[in-house]
Amino acid sequence: MLEEVERWLSARSWSVADRPIQQLMAAKHATGQSVSVVLPALDEEATVGGIVSVIRRELMERVPLVDELVVVDSGSRDGTSAVAAAAGARVVHRDAILPRVPAVPGKGEVLWRSLLVTGGDIVCFVDADLREFSADFVSGIVGPLLTEPDVHLVKAMYDRPLGAAPGQGGRVTELMARPLLNMHWPRLAGFVQPLGGEYAARRSLLEQLPFPVGYGVELGMLVDALHLVGLDALAQVDVGVRRHRHQDGQALGRMSAAIYRTAQLRLARGHLVRPSLTQFERGTDGFEPRTYSVDTEERPPMTEIAEYAARKVA
């Protein structure tokens, strides 16, 4: 590991316990910063309501750390929107945001559009499939942004069990993202959960970043933020254990392909001859190929969007 990364791990890796909620509230009052929490959601009826309820109760009613809580529904076919609204979130459909630009499927697309319907100086993203959710996931990663003016982006780090097996989750991280980062961006090798969906950043940073529309958004954001603000402006906070719904191996393969494509674009901005991935499933006549397109589209920095600029002026 690079000496710079070892130093960074010591200086920019914290625990949620390092900043009690009273300290965060004092810093929020002193700096006047506002906090938005965004949950991107697609068919998460079983979990989204519990997450919203915890954030409202612990971080909006008990203490006013969070100023707005928004669920962006990207086309759920279940009761995700109704459950989220009943629990106290403001629900916005992806397609209602910036309608002149047709939406495409993907998590990054939803996160990018969320900047247009939130107003916080600090924007915190939380995946909507978490189980046994704790408010620490929000307060932990927002904390350094409130107390450390030179920190611009904070990732959550945590244990990721796979069923009953501790530490076996995060298969795409270990098989794809971590090797890519260690080989090509070794200054980012200290991130425990580089692909984790729980992170917070200053709006002033997010609005300058391009957003890969799909699963490559987390890796792309880390790499671009490193180049834009430097390693010392990035940090991570230990928030405990993350339990969530795990995807099957083929879904993880498609996720890995999108992440690799995101890395490739940042390495060379080169041309991918065949932006697709073929996988195999056993059928009645043996193994049958299934080909999926790989996310290649990226949204421009939000500062280039006229509607966003007009909102800031207003």
Side-chain angles (χ1 to χ4, degrees), residues 27-241:
K28 186 174 190 290
H29 178 74
T31 61
Q33 297 178 92
S34 55
V35 177
S36 299
V37 175
V38 173
L39 276 68
L42 176 63
D43 295 329
E44 302 295 355
E45 177 183 17
T47 51
V48 68
I51 299 171
V52 169
S53 295
V54 169
I55 296 173
R56 281 207 63 88
R57 182 179 66 250
E58 301 294 330
L59 301 178
M60 299 182 81
E61 297 168 359
R62 187 167 297 175
V63 293
L65 182 69
V66 172
D67 298 283
E68 66 175 342
L69 174 55
V70 178
V71 170
V72 182
D73 190 330
S74 57
S76 298
R77 292 163 294 181
D78 64 3
T80 292
S81 289
V83 169
R90 176 162 63 94
V91 179
V92 184
H93 195 282
R94 175 200 62 197
D95 296 347
I97 307 170
L98 198 63
R100 73 170 176 85
V101 179
V104 297
K107 179 183 178 182
E109 176 83 356
V110 174
L111 300 185
W112 180 72
R113 289 175 185 264
S114 75
L115 297 181
L116 272 163
V117 293
T118 56
D121 303 301
I122 295 169
V123 183
C124 174
F125 299 120
V126 176
D127 281 350
D129 66 341
L130 302 188
R131 302 188 179 98
E132 302 176 28
F133 178 78
S134 166
D136 288 347
F137 275 76
V138 173
S139 61
I141 56 179
V142 166
L145 296 166
L146 290 170
T147 62
E148 310 288 334
D150 53 347
V151 170
H152 290 258
L153 184 148
V154 182
K155 297 280 293 190
M157 57 177 168
Y158 32 65
D159 296 316
R160 293 186 68 181
L162 181 61
Q168 296 302 307
R171 291 162 287 172
V172 174
T173 292
E174 299 304 328
L175 297 174
M176 175 59 71
R178 201 176 308 285
L180 280 172
L181 292 176
N182 276 265
M183 288 187 290
H184 298 296
W185 296 282
R187 296 171 70 202
L188 295 173
F191 277 95
V192 175
Q193 298 291 352
L195 300 185
E198 290 68 49
Y199 48 99
R202 300 192 189 281
R203 178 175 294 272
S204 57
L205 170 63
L206 293 172
E207 64 188 13
Q208 297 181 68
L209 299 177
F211 276 63
V213 299
Y215 286 121
V217 63
E218 275 85 21
L219 184 134
M221 190 176 295
L222 265 187
V223 171
D224 293 341
L226 173 68
H227 289 297
L228 193 62
V229 295
L231 182 60
D232 283 340
L234 313 180
Q236 59 186 350
V237 174
D238 188 348
V239 297
V241 179

